[in-house]
Structure formats: C-alpha cells, structure tokens
Amino acid sequence: MFKQYIVDLKKEFKDYNGKKLSQDALAGLTVTAVALPLALAFGVSSGADAAAGLITAILSGFLMSALSGASYQISGPTGAMTAILIGLVAKYQMEGVFIATLLAGIILLIAGLLKIGKLVSLIPSPVITGFTSGIAIIIALGQIDNFFGVTSQGSTNIEKLLSYGTLGFQPNWYAVGLGTLVIVIMLAWPKKWNAKVPSSLVGIIIALVVSMILKKDVAMVGDIPKTLLPATRLSLSDLSMEKINLLFSSSISIAALGMIESLLCGASAGRMKDEKLNADRELVAQGIGNMIIPFFGGVPSTAAIARTSVAIKSGAQTRLTGIFHAVGLLASMFLLGGVMSQIPLSALAGVLMVTAWRMNEWESIRFIFSKKLKTAIAQFCITMLATVIFDLTLAILLGVMFSILFFVVNISGIEINLSDIDPARLASNGLHIEHDHEKTKVVYLTGPVFFTTTEKIKAEISQLTDLEYIIFSMRGVPLLDATGTQLFSELNESFKAQGTTVLFSGLQPKVKHLMERSGLMETVGEENFFWSVEQSIMAIEKEQLAS
C-alpha cells in the first residue's frame, strides 16, 4: 500500500508547475469559504463548540488530504456525524467523544489494512438513500433549540421534542428572524454565484452584521481560542479499559459512518474527476486522522462531498488543495476568531437546516417513488425510520438485512414448463428425427434450484410417469445448492426404478461444478449431460436407431 502511495504521488505531481500550484491555491481558498461556516456549524451542532469543528477541519485538511486515497478528497466534520455525537456528548461529555473518535480511527485503520473497503459497495442504493434522509431529519431536529432560541432536555431528539411539553416552547423571535434570513439567502442565492461565493458564507456574514447592529439578546458561538491545543482535548491519562468497553459500540457507529461517507464521497467525486479512489488507502488516511484529531480537541472527521465537489469544480489539481484549504482555515482562526465568536447560533442553525434539506438524494427518492418500486420504497423507509429512531449502525444493518430478505423472496420463485418433442421445431433448426418420442418429456427450469424451490419441483415432476426419457433443461438455472443436488439424485433414482433415463442439458459452469463435486454427474452418467436440449434429443434418436 505504501509503495502504491508513492507511485500515485509521483503520477499526481508529474509535470507539476507554477500554474497548477496557483490553481490548487485558489481552489483551496474557495473550499475554505465553504468549509468555514460548515465547520463552525457542525462543531456547535455536535454538542461540542465551534472551535472543535474548526480544529477538526484544519487537521483533516493537513492529515487526511496528504494521505488520501485520491487527489480530490476534502475531509472535515460533517452533518451526518453530528447525528451520532449529539447523544454521545449528552451521555458521556466531550471525553466520551474523544475516546470514541480514537477507537473509531483504530477501527478504520484496521479496516483499511485488511482491505475491506469494497464492502461498502455491497450496500443497496435505497438503503444509502434512506440512511442519508434519516440523518437529514436528525440534523434538522437537532437545530430546533438554536433556531428558535429555546431549551430542551433529553439525550435523543424524541426526548427533546417531548420535553417542550413540560419546559414550554417560547421562541426568541430575533433568533428566528436571523435563522430565517440565512435560509432565505441560501435558497435565493444564484447557483452561478455560489460557485465563487458560497451562499452559506454570505448568509452568515449578513446575519452577523444585522445582529451586531441590532444588538439583541441571542445566543452566539462564543470564544474561539487561537490555538490548536485547547484546554478540552484527549489525554492518554483519560483512557481506561472501562471507558473503552463503555464507548466501543459508539466507536463502531462512528467508524461505520466514516467508512460509508468517505467511500461514497470518493466514488461520486471520482466520477467527476475521472480518477478512481483507492478505497483501502482512504480508510487508512481516515483512521490515522481520527486517531490524532481527538488529542487536539477535535471531533470525528470524514470525507465530505460538498467540499470535495467544490474543490473539483474550482479547478483542484492535486491533494495540495486540501492542504491549502486547511491553511486558509488556520489563518481564519487567528485573524477572524474575534468576529466569528459573535456569530448567532440561529444563523448557523439556518445553514444546517438548508444543508439537511439538500442532503436528501431527491432524484433517487423521486425515482423509486414515481416508479412505485415497492422493494426499494420499503428499503428506503425502513432505513430512514431506523436511523431516526435507533442507532445509525443498527439502521444500516436493518436496511441490509431487509434487502437480503427481499432478495431471497424475489429470487426464490422458479418456473417449471413441461414440453413434448416437436419434430417441426427441430426441422426448422435443420434437425430431423424418424422415431416417435411420445414417451420423452423436456422439463424447462427457470430460476434457482435450492432449498426454497425443491419442493415445488418435486411436486411437479413426481406426476410424470410412464416415460422412457426425461430431459432437464438447466440453461435458465443460475444457482444450485446441496438441497437441489439431493433432489436430482432422488429423482434420478426414482425414474431409474421406473425404467426412465434422466438427461441434463445446458448446465451453467457453477451448476455443473457443484454436480461434479457432489457426485451427481457420476451417478447419472456423464454420457447423459449435453450442451442443449436439441443435442439431447439427437442422442436419444441415435440410441433408438441403434436399437
């Protein structure tokens, strides 16, 4: 993996010059403008603070961009991750987040070294779409307090919503106004302008100016320390086996989400730049980054499609774009920290609500619902509801489990068609027979022959009696299991006792291989296996002529 990394770096920076350097620098600054408000917003919404989000984005830019599995990946705090962190902070405070992040980094590193990145590609698309929509709902629900300037209690969004019934719900209308202002600006901002000046940045700047002029009582971001080593960060002395055991399940959720987000981002961005992502190296980069970030007070980081796509569209040439974006964020921390501390939380909530809305894969959702794809709709709804109600990792597992169940149900049907020998059809193919084949039947099977279909086959075939030959056409059988081979063995013995010869035709390679391994081919006789039904019939014709 290390040797391939060096090879890829040499290829990436081949013919690198001043022009490409300036393109990387400009693209990096553009991404900075996009990442700055998001880093602050995701830091606050995760239950940490704006500084934690900013530090995470800075370190991700330096570490993960340098080690990434492709030249274009831009990592940082994401909205999806806040869905896990909100409950984690409420239950275990920031110390729990730091330890879980470290453990998640170790898991990601091991996953990369074991080369299991390809597993993400096995998750069905409707499950990913439902997962994303569920996260969007969690993000939006998590911003109710900041947007309306109210207070809730509880470790889950459901508990927080219910707490308004006892605590009351009295909005701060100045906060609501500022949040609404940001939403309106982001939705109305022309797309062609957004490529150069992000709407989220414009919305926050305008909301900040309005807030400073009105000087109303609204919650603000608060102090942003001008350091990468804040007082609240992970220390080796914080680690213990008791805490590790307590937070291990949360770390799996963080690692699973980090893996899914980063690899899906890489797959999507890879198509945009026509450059394939090295999935396993990307997981190693994500693992190393998340192992280091907590020691600087940061939160979990993953590759982010919004920042990555902006980088590509802005002309990014190499991974230096991610590093330049980190430099821009670092400069912002030291130069603009005082101003950023006065940003209203409701303005950041407005950014996150629009972000949550845009996170939904609306094109995919419209497709599966407009085409009334029942299985896909079920996969989407089950995963989305499970994401909102349960743990995110459990949601993915439930979605995949139901997908497997639907798959098994869908493929478990088999078609059985019985046919007599048709001399006219054979003649049209240039084959002529002289004998009467009234006591020969062809059984056309279409579908898998395994434990769920053998009883149906047995019921249909057992009705056939007084035959000299029976030909099983297997061209339409893609799958055969041990139960299927046992069925054919029993049928062969039964027909043999009746004086009926069993023949097989059109076996697919995998089916033929299993028949050979199980000894069925030897039992039936290799001379009774043919390429096609026509070949089987001509073999019977030849045998009858000889007799």
Side-chain angles (χ1 to χ4, degrees), residues 342-354:
Q342 299 181 58
I343 296 174
L345 291 180
S346 59
L348 295 180
V351 171
L352 288 175
M353 285 187 169
V354 175

Side-chain angles (χ1 to χ4, degrees), residues 449-455 480-490 514:
V449 178
F450 66 149
F451 65 95
T452 64
T453 59
T454 52
E455 285 301 318
L480 176 71
D481 72 351
T483 309
T485 59
Q486 187 177 355
L487 167 70
F488 285 126
S489 180
E490 292 173 358
L514 186 58

Side-chain angles (χ1 to χ4, degrees), residues 196-527:
K196 295 183 178 180
V197 184
S199 60
S200 57
L201 184 62
V202 175
I204 283 180
I205 290 174
I206 293 175
L208 174 60
V209 170
V210 171
S211 177
M212 293 175 73
I213 292 173
L214 295 178
K215 295 181 179 180
K216 296 295 183 179
D217 183 23
V218 291
M220 298 181 182
V221 166
D223 290 337
I224 295 180
K226 296 179 180 180
T227 177
L228 290 178
L229 291 170
T232 305
R233 64 181 190 274
L234 180 64
S235 172
L236 288 175
S237 61
D238 296 330
L239 298 174
S240 68
M241 284 307 301
E242 183 183 354
K243 292 176 182 177
I244 290 172
N245 291 332
L246 195 63
L247 293 161
F248 188 70
S249 61
S250 297
S251 69
I252 292 176
S253 296
I254 293 172
L257 181 56
M259 183 185 297
I260 292 167
E261 275 208 293
S262 296
L263 297 187
L264 289 181
C265 172
S268 176
R271 290 191 291 269
M272 293 173 64
K273 200 177 179 184
D274 194 24
E275 177 186 339
K276 189 176 180 181
L277 175 78
N278 185 317
D280 298 315
R281 192 167 75 231
E282 179 65 26
L283 292 183
V284 170
Q286 295 293 329
I288 292 173
N290 281 299
M291 287 168 64
I292 294 173
I293 286 172
F295 291 99
F296 291 84
V299 294
S301 174
T302 73
I305 187 61
R307 278 156 270 185
T308 299
S309 61
V310 167
I312 294 172
K313 292 174 183 177
S314 300
Q317 299 295 308
T318 69
R319 63 191 65 230
L320 286 179
T321 295
I323 295 173
F324 280 127
H325 125 272
V327 172
L329 291 173
L330 185 62
S332 299
M333 171 184 274
F334 286 99
L335 300 177
L336 302 174
V339 176
M340 290 190 293
S341 66
Q342 299 181 58
I343 296 174
L345 291 180
S346 59
L348 295 180
V351 171
L352 288 175
M353 285 187 169
V354 175
T355 302
W357 175 261
R358 291 174 175 171
M359 274 180 66
N360 288 282
E361 298 173 12
W362 293 113
E363 188 175 342
S364 297
I365 294 170
R366 278 193 293 269
F367 177 78
I368 62 178
F369 277 90
S370 64
K371 302 299 181 182
K372 298 180 180 178
L373 306 176
K374 294 180 180 179
T375 299
I377 291 172
Q379 290 171 318
F380 170 82
C381 293
I382 288 168
T383 309
M384 182 181 69
L385 291 173
T387 301
V388 175
I389 299 170
F390 304 117
D391 177 80
L392 300 188
T393 305
L394 178 60
I396 286 288
L397 290 174
L398 284 174
V400 171
M401 285 172 59
F402 274 100
S403 299
I404 294 171
L405 179 62
F406 290 140
F407 174 74
V408 170
V409 170
N410 288 333
I411 70 165
S412 61
I414 188 166
E415 289 185 20
I416 305 169
N417 294 301
L418 306 179
S419 175
D420 295 319
I421 304 301
D422 186 354
R425 182 179 175 185
L426 290 170
S428 66
N429 291 325
L431 301 174
H432 301 280
I433 56 176
E434 297 180 11
H435 286 80
D436 181 10
H437 291 273
E438 288 185 357
K439 291 193 174 184
T440 299
K441 284 282 187 182
V442 181
V443 180
Y444 290 94
L445 299 176
T446 305
V449 178
F450 66 149
F451 65 95
T452 64
T453 59
T454 52
E455 285 301 318
K456 182 179 179 181
I457 297 171
K458 189 174 183 179
E460 290 273 350
I461 303 304
S462 61
Q463 299 176 19
L464 299 176
T465 56
D466 194 27
L467 295 175
E468 292 182 1
Y469 298 94
I470 182 168
I471 304 170
F472 286 98
S473 175
M474 305 284 284
R475 194 171 301 281
V477 178
L479 174 67
L480 176 71
D481 72 351
T483 309
T485 59
Q486 187 177 355
L487 167 70
F488 285 126
S489 180
E490 292 173 358
L491 288 174
N492 178 62
E493 291 179 12
S494 175
F495 280 116
K496 193 173 183 180
Q498 298 175 31
T500 305
T501 302
V502 175
L503 297 90
F504 291 91
S505 70
L507 269 67
Q508 296 191 28
K510 289 183 179 180
V511 174
K512 183 179 179 181
H513 178 65
L514 186 58
M515 283 191 168
E516 289 173 342
R517 286 185 59 193
S518 65
L520 179 62
M521 185 170 284
E522 184 179 352
T523 303
V524 174
E526 292 188 20
E527 69 278 4

Side-chain angles (χ1 to χ4, degrees), residues 79-83 130-141 257 261 356 359 384 387-388 392:
M81 196 61 74
T82 64
F131 181 65
T132 305
S133 294
I135 288 172
I137 293 171
I138 292 174
I139 292 172
L141 291 176
L257 181 56
E261 275 208 293
M359 274 180 66
M384 182 181 69
T387 301
V388 175
L392 300 188

